[in-house]
């Protein structure tokens, strides 16, 4: 096609003029960004990495004026098609260039950051100041970004007490499809500064967990807190899933913990293998540094090395807890409360190696994007009230049962993660695992030494198709329960599941912010239907 009339060439030329050649990425980026952790999509025709907030606004305005779709990628850790294009004429924004801290206000306990900064970068900036975020990151926080976390419901570190990323944000700046720079929170007002989130309707909440469908986040202001003065850990073994999940709910409701989560037997076994033990021994220096004194650090490190992770026999569920607070006495009391609740549900206290090691080094390299044997994985997530947890688990297991024979034949296995959130919510995460050829992201993200120890599996088309089928059934179960899910992306039927009146309001909001439906088409659901 003649470049003078080729839409891609015309848009590329306009972007080059506005942003400069350093902002346009090449074919390798297009290939990498055509996949997420789970699947493949259509490669974007153009990939742009803006270096400033103004360049984001310019790129969105230029692409939308030309009638092109715009998707946004942060750390690229989606496994629900969150940023994958649905059409060829797509410009993808790689927001990793927006990785600056704008301000740290220690008096007001508010940090303002660009949307492409990672949770690890914030942790490293705040720790020397004796500060942190209440919720302070995800398992993937060495790459996962604040913008992605706010769009997709990031949770884990600090979640049992403080909730998710949505619960700590006090304001944002978002670029809509018209190129408008929308401020939310107190900073949106004349002479206002970020601090309080609600003054009139909560505009910040409109853009939280929107899967990037309503606009492009460029800036966020987050609450900070003093770093806890003390921390302690507890782990327990349970003979049955029901006992473990009931204990998790009781501990979650109590508010004793910053983190409380269950590993199923398969995950527990993976956490006990020799390679993991050796890695934990390598973490001893981190454990020592994370304690309040050198003596306590040496004592804890010695116990950790001796215990290793060979503390569980048989098929058991393990529950892991982190208590943290302003004083040693207060944390000790919280831990006692945790122990009592666990023992009341027939738990047996075991070595607390797992939560201690996780807290000592919360942001590891993302070798876990593949399994320890090189297998791929695909997670799903549901969040329900504690009182619905047991019924949801039973219904999900029943939906999986008819597939178990085929799963065994195709080498598809499952594991489960259970998390307590902000005292009142239970998170249930089934994970499918299977051996299959790797996607570009699997070759790009892990450390080379880790990849060198693995052999890439052969293509497993039958297993992949079966995983798709089982995932779809599980998503249907979650929808029947009215469950909320992380990473809505293009996987969960969020829009279709809304009641009609609520759906019409969301459609009207989408129409106002994105009249032509160009911002991340397909995210949240089909707004064109």
């Amino acid at each position: 096609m003649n470049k003078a009339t080729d839409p891609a060439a015309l848009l590329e030329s306009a972007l080059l003029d506005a942003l400069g050649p350093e902002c346009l990425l090449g074919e390798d980026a297009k290939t990498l960004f055509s996949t997420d952790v789970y699947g493949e999509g259509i490669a974007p025709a153009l990939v742009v990495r803006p270096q400033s907030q103004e360049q984001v606004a310019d790129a969105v305005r230029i692409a939308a004026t030309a009638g092109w779709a715009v998707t946004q990628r942060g750390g690229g850790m989606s496994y629900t098609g969150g940023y994958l294009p649905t059409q060829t004429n797509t410009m993808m924004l790689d927001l990793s260039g927006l990785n600056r801290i704008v301000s740290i206000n220690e008096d007001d306990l508010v940090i303002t950051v660009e949307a492409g900064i990672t949770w690890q970068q914030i942790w490293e900036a705040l720790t020397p100041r004796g500060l942190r975020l209440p919720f302070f990151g995800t398992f993937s926080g060495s790459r996962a970004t604040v913008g992605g976390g706010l769009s997709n419901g990031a949770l884990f570190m600090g979640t049992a007490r403080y909730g998710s990323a949505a619960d700590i944000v006090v304001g944002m700046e978002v670029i809509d499809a018209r190129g408008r720079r929308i401020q939310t929170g107190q900073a949106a007002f004349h002479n206002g500064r970020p601090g309080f989130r609600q003054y009139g309707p909560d505009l910040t909440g409109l853009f939280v967990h929107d899967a990037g469908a309503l606009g492009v986040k460029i800036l966020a202001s987050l609450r900070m807190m003093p770093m806890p003065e003390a921390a302690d850990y507890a782990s327990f073994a349970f003979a049955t899933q029901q006992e473990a999940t009931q204990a998790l709910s009781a501990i979650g409701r109590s508010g004793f913990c910053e983190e409380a989560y269950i590993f199923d037997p398969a995950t527990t076994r993976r956490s006990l293998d020799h390679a993991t033990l050796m890695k934990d021994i390598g973490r001893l220096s981190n454990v020592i540094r994370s304690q309040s004194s050198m003596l306590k650090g040496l004592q804890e490190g010695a116990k950790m090395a001796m215990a290793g992770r060979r503390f569980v026999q048989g098929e058991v569920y393990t529950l892991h807890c982190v208590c943290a607070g302003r004083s040693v006495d207060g944390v000790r009391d919280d831990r006692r409360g945790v122990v009592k609740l666990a023992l009341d549900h027939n738990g047996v206290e075991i070595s607390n190696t797992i939560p201690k090691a996780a807290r000592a080094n919360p942001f590891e390299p993302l070798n876990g994007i593949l399994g320890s044997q090189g297998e791929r994985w695909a997670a799903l997530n549901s969040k329900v009230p504690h009182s619905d947890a047991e019924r949801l688990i039973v219904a999900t297991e029943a939906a999986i049962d008819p597939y178990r024979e085929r799963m065994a034949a195709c080498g598809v296995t499952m594991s489960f993660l259970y998390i307590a959130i902000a005292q009142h919510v239970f998170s249930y995460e089934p994970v499918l695992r299977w051996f299959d050829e790797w996607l570009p992201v699997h070759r790009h993200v892990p450390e080379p030494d880790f990849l060198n120890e693995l052999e890439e599996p052969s293509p497993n088309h039958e297993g992949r198709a079966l995983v798709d089928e089982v995932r779809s059934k599980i998503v249907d179960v979650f929808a029947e329960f009215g469950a909320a899910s992380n990473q809505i992306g293009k996987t969960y039927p969020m829009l279709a599941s809304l009641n009609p009146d609520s759906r019409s309001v969301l459609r009207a909001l989408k129409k106002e912010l994105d009249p032509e439906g160009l911002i991340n088409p397909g995210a949240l659901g089909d707004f064109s239907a």
Side-chain angles (χ1 to χ4, degrees), residues 303-452:
K303 285 194 293 184
M304 183 174 172
M306 292 178 64
R309 288 187 172 180
R310 302 288 180 185
F311 49 73
V312 178
Q313 300 294 323
E315 293 286 300
V316 300
Y317 293 80
T318 54
L319 190 158
H320 308 283
C321 302
V322 177
C323 300
R326 292 188 296 254
S327 71
V328 172
D329 288 343
V331 169
R332 185 183 298 118
D333 287 344
D334 284 346
R335 190 185 187 283
R336 285 179 183 144
V338 168
V339 171
K340 182 181 185 306
L341 289 171
L343 299 186
D344 286 347
H345 290 84
N346 299 320
V348 176
E349 188 166 5
I350 57 176
S351 166
N352 56 21
T353 307
I354 288 174
K356 189 181 299 181
R359 267 299 183 100
N361 190 7
F363 301 112
E364 292 189 321
L366 287 181
N367 297 332
I369 200 170
L370 287 167
S372 60
Q373 304 301 312
E375 72 273 20
R376 286 166 56 179
W377 55 263
L380 292 167
N381 173 272
S382 61
K383 296 189 284 290
V384 294
H386 288 291
S387 56
D388 281 345
E390 189 171 332
R391 290 193 306 113
L392 174 67
I393 293 168
V394 169
T396 304
E397 294 278 0
I400 296 167
D401 281 342
Y403 295 94
R404 295 194 188 276
E405 188 173 329
R406 288 172 59 197
M407 289 168 63
C410 293
V412 178
T413 61
M414 293 196 72
S415 59
F416 300 86
L417 177 66
Y418 316 77
I419 304 172
I421 304 176
Q423 295 187 255
H424 62 288
V425 176
F426 187 102
S427 174
Y428 173 54
E429 188 165 301
V431 183
L432 291 120
R433 297 174 178 273
W434 77 108
F435 288 93
D436 198 355
E437 63 182 335
W438 296 339
L439 298 170
V441 69
H442 297 126
R443 303 183 189 97
H444 178 77
V445 171
E447 295 173 299
D449 287 347
F450 175 78
L451 286 179
N452 289 340

Side-chain angles (χ1 to χ4, degrees), residues 5 26-27 51 63 109 117 131 144 154 177 182 218 234 260-261 273 328 337 353 361 392 395 425 469 488 504 517 528:
T5 58
E27 295 302 316
Q51 299 301 310
L109 287 179
I117 199 168
L131 298 169
I182 300 168
I218 58 172
Y261 51 96
D273 64 22
V328 172
T353 307
N361 190 7
L392 174 67
V425 176
E469 191 175 343
I488 298 169
S504 68
S528 67

Side-chain angles (χ1 to χ4, degrees), residues 498-508:
L498 274 176
N499 70 62
D501 289 341
S502 299
R503 186 162 58 242
S504 68
V505 171
L506 183 54
R507 284 186 180 280

